[in-house]
Amino acid sequence: MEMEVRLLPAGFDPAAVHGDFLARFGTLGAVTAFTGVVREAAKGAAVDYLYLDWYPGMTETSIQAIADAAAERFDIRALSIHHRCGEVRAGEPVVFVAAASVHRRAAFEAVDYMMDRLKSEAALWKREVGPQTDRWVEPTTGDADDLKRWSDK
Amino acid sequence: MEMEVRLLPAGFDPAAVHGDFLARFGTLGAVTAFTGVVREAAKGAAVDYLYLDWYPGMTETSIQAIADAAAERFDIRALSIHHRCGEVRAGEPVVFVAAASVHRRAAFEAVDYMMDRLKSEAALWKREVGPQTDRWVEPTTGDADDLKRWSDK
Amino acid sequence: MIDILFFGRVADSLGKRRLAMALPPEGLSLFALRLRLFDGEGDGRLRMSVNQVVVTDDRPLHDGDEVAFFSVFSGG
Amino acid sequence: MIDILFFGRVADSLGKRRLAMALPPEGLSLFALRLRLFDGEGDGRLRMSVNQVVVTDDRPLHDGDEVAFFSVFSGG
């Protein structure tokens, strides 16, 4: 298993990370990638930036645990998690997750699974800040439902 | 809905297509991408290249129909399908599919759906050629099962 | 005249990809054409299209029609 | 001495991110520390870790422990 897990206090280029991942692991056959970008509005209110508070050490450990669980659970050969922390401005990427496998189903499921867990189980605390907004975001019941999809398997 | 649907007789760079797609639609919030690459072996036999036979006109129409169905069915705002035809050598990308949406579930499902349908419903005929192999590939029962996942929703 | 195209395994086993044929004066149906070309061997996996639309039922053919015979699709 | 860290909403509402505290001679448990810091307000969403491991049960604290209080995680 090849894993690259990065917590990044500064901006990154998901297209470049994807290109590098494809070059290294594409020949396995199947690569699925997800990129999350900060939206310019949330619940109708303009957003200037997210602030992702983090706990140095524990945050990295929590993300690595999610990577390890995905590697254990799905028939994948390589994975990548790049997650921003600190201030992430609207339009900037906040998370990139990829998996490579021989058959495509495993790559799809692994990325889907890692995203669901990152939402609720990575040691990060997300604040949305905009001209009329300044609030700490907590996982929604939808996020909890997403997570439950994986518990009966 | 923004759609880019391409049938390509020559090689393409999925990382560049992904980068361009992210630049144009990433600010929606969620981008899922799948890349399929020709494996160097299939069922234990070395593969030099795939030959994807196609029916000019009908092949494009069949892929566009899959794109249209995904656009109709999922809450996505943009999609991309790039599919090779002709000779595709081992290690080269054969298909790239991406979708952009506001919430990530729709982007995941749309890409998963398009891949399942491309396998069995795009007017393409795939031949695997290697030193000991020259055979036309037909969809497996696994591919048929993948497709059935979408018929009860 | 009708245009007849072959793709995939079908083109391979016939050893040709294309055929032009004059319709006989008494007319010709799709199933009759299939029988003529494939010797009634009744390959259950043989698929057909007329003017680039997949069809499964029999129908009369008309001058200028483009008919194709092929195996099941396999893309991705 | 123990190190006490605060993250997310909790850091915000306390107005601080860090605190160093000497353990009293009679000792101090995690729940007692929580009560002392948060005035017994019993926020059900308050989470805790000791030495970077999330804990939900009470336990005695030791010199050199790193304790943290925070709200529920939200990443992605």
Side-chain angles (χ1 to χ4, degrees):
Chain A
M1 256 307 289
E2 296 278 342
M3 292 196 213
E4 46 181 41
V5 176
R6 309 255 186 285
L7 180 69
L8 304 159
F12 74 108
D13 177 359
V17 175
H18 182 244
D20 179 60
F21 192 81
L22 270 180
R24 293 167 67 203
F25 307 114
T27 53
L28 287 166
V31 172
T32 301
F34 177 82
T35 310
V37 175
V38 179
R39 291 199 299 272
E40 277 154 22
K43 296 177 197 291
V47 170
D48 291 328
Y49 64 91
L50 292 186
Y51 183 80
L52 282 158
D53 199 7
W54 78 105
Y55 185 167
M58 187 162 136
T59 304
E60 289 89 335
T61 306
S62 68
I63 296 175
Q64 184 64 53
I66 293 168
D68 291 343
E72 165 88 11
R73 181 170 186 141
F74 302 100
D75 188 15
I76 57 176
R77 307 286 175 85
L79 68 80
S80 171
I81 301 179
H82 284 63
H83 207 304
R84 279 295 313 276
C85 57
E87 187 178 310
V88 192
R89 303 204 64 84
E92 287 184 355
V94 59
V95 61
F96 173 85
V97 174
S101 61
V102 175
H103 300 289
R104 75 185 187 288
R105 179 79 30 235
F108 266 108
E109 290 188 344
V111 173
D112 197 9
Y113 171 84
M114 289 188 274
M115 279 306 306
D116 281 347
R117 290 199 56 185
L118 285 168
K119 280 271 167 191
S120 319
E121 299 181 5
L124 290 161
W125 299 273
K126 182 158 65 182
R127 204 172 109 226
E128 264 171 19
V129 183
Q132 258 104 56
T133 300
D134 188 342
R135 67 183 198 98
W136 290 95
V137 180
E138 301 200 341
T140 62
T141 54
D143 292 328
D145 290 344
D146 284 343
L147 204 55
K148 262 184 236 142
R149 298 189 301 144
W150 306 104
S151 58
D152 26 309
K153 286 196 194 172
Chain B
M1 256 308 288
E2 295 278 342
M3 292 196 213
E4 46 181 40
V5 176
R6 309 254 186 286
L7 180 69
L8 303 159
F12 73 107
D13 178 358
V17 175
H18 182 243
D20 179 59
F21 192 79
L22 270 180
R24 293 166 68 202
F25 308 113
T27 52
L28 286 166
V31 171
T32 300
F34 177 82
T35 309
V37 175
V38 179
R39 291 199 299 271
E40 276 154 23
K43 297 178 198 290
V47 170
D48 291 329
Y49 64 89
L50 292 186
Y51 183 79
L52 283 158
D53 199 7
W54 77 105
Y55 186 167
M58 188 162 136
T59 304
E60 290 89 335
T61 305
S62 68
I63 297 175
Q64 185 64 53
I66 293 168
D68 291 343
E72 164 88 11
R73 180 168 186 143
F74 302 100
D75 188 15
I76 57 176
R77 306 286 174 86
L79 67 81
S80 171
I81 301 178
H82 285 62
H83 207 304
R84 279 295 312 277
C85 57
E87 187 177 311
V88 192
R89 302 204 65 83
E92 287 184 355
V94 58
V95 62
F96 172 85
V97 174
S101 61
V102 174
H103 301 289
R104 75 184 185 289
R105 179 77 32 235
F108 265 108
E109 291 188 344
V111 173
D112 197 9
Y113 171 85
M114 288 188 275
M115 279 307 306
D116 282 348
R117 289 199 56 185
L118 285 168
K119 280 271 167 191
S120 320
E121 299 182 5
L124 290 160
W125 299 273
K126 182 157 65 182
R127 203 172 109 226
E128 264 171 17
V129 183
Q132 259 104 56
T133 300
D134 188 342
R135 68 182 198 99
W136 291 95
V137 180
E138 301 201 340
T140 62
T141 54
D143 293 328
D145 290 344
D146 284 343
L147 203 55
K148 262 184 234 142
R149 299 187 301 143
W150 305 105
S151 59
D152 25 310
K153 286 194 193 173
Chain C
M1 296 292 286
I2 57 171
D3 240 345
I4 311 170
L5 309 174
F6 308 100
F7 296 99
R9 187 198 301 276
V10 178
D12 233 23
S13 47
L14 278 182
K16 61 184 139 205
R17 298 185 58 82
R18 184 165 209 145
L19 201 64
M21 180 188 278
L23 286 175
E26 71 276 17
L28 185 69
S29 81
L30 179 63
F31 281 12
L33 173 65
R34 172 186 167 153
L35 216 64
R36 186 180 295 193
L37 289 168
F38 297 93
D39 224 12
E41 70 183 36
D43 182 342
R45 295 177 305 182
L46 191 67
R47 304 285 192 272
M48 301 160 291
S49 66
V50 176
N51 299 324
Q52 306 204 354
V53 175
V54 174
V55 295
T56 53
D57 53 327
D58 198 13
R59 59 187 60 197
L61 297 173
H62 305 286
D63 250 352
D65 276 350
E66 180 181 286
V67 181
F69 294 94
F70 41 82
S71 45
V72 279
F73 300 150
S74 62
Chain D
M1 298 291 287
I2 57 170
D3 240 346
I4 311 170
L5 309 174
F6 308 100
F7 296 98
R9 187 198 302 277
V10 178
D12 233 23
S13 47
L14 278 182
K16 61 185 141 204
R17 297 185 59 83
R18 184 164 209 147
L19 200 65
M21 180 189 278
L23 286 175
E26 72 276 15
L28 186 70
S29 81
L30 179 63
F31 282 11
L33 173 63
R34 173 187 166 152
L35 216 64
R36 188 181 293 194
L37 289 169
F38 296 94
D39 224 10
E41 70 184 36
D43 181 342
R45 293 177 306 181
L46 190 67
R47 304 285 191 272
M48 301 160 291
S49 66
V50 176
N51 300 324
Q52 306 204 355
V53 175
V54 174
V55 295
T56 53
D57 54 327
D58 199 12
R59 59 187 60 197
L61 297 173
H62 306 286
D63 249 352
D65 275 351
E66 181 181 286
V67 182
F69 294 94
F70 41 82
S71 44
V72 280
F73 301 149
S74 61

